[in-house]
Amino acid sequence: MKSRNFRLAPAVAVAAGLLFAGTAGAAVAAPSDESPPPASSAPSEEAHADWKPGAWYDDEAACKKAGEQGKKDNKWREYRCKREERHPGQYDYQWHLYYRA
């Protein structure tokens, strides 16, 4: 009788482990009960129609210098410098000045 219990113990332990692993995995994979965060009502900055593209610059310092000069000369009230690929697919990244009046 003892030998039969010893043979069943590993099988029971394996079954219990699989059962626990299955429920733990299901709990992780299940979607949360919380509702998803609401989508932002404001469009992204790039989508704003009032941001206009300006010139391209080789480095960030030159872009910011031109942006500050444009503010000083009252050409625009805000500017942003963004590193972008100038010609898609050619991996030629430069700094692009965007401004809004």
Side-chain angles (χ1 to χ4, degrees):
M1 184 103 147
K2 280 187 175 181
S3 65
R4 184 173 182 196
N5 286 341
F6 283 125
R7 282 186 275 179
L8 288 177
V12 171
V14 169
L18 290 174
L19 181 62
F20 177 74
T23 58
V28 171
S32 67
D33 292 335
E34 296 177 23
S35 61
S40 175
S41 59
S44 68
E45 291 177 16
E46 287 76 28
H48 284 302
D50 55 347
W51 283 98
K52 296 178 176 68
W56 291 89
Y57 297 91
D58 290 329
D59 56 54
E60 185 179 16
C63 183
K64 288 183 175 184
K65 183 178 178 183
E68 287 297 324
Q69 188 64 45
K71 280 177 69 172
K72 184 179 172 185
D73 295 341
N74 293 320
K75 290 182 180 178
W76 48 75
R77 60 186 162 98
E78 286 185 275
Y79 73 93
R80 297 244 163 96
C81 292
K82 188 173 177 187
R83 189 168 187 257
E84 296 178 333
E85 190 174 8
R86 186 164 185 179
H87 302 97
Q90 294 185 9
Y91 304 103
D92 55 343
Y93 289 90
Q94 291 184 328
W95 290 90
H96 200 178
L97 174 74
Y98 289 91
Y99 64 91
R100 73 175 155 187

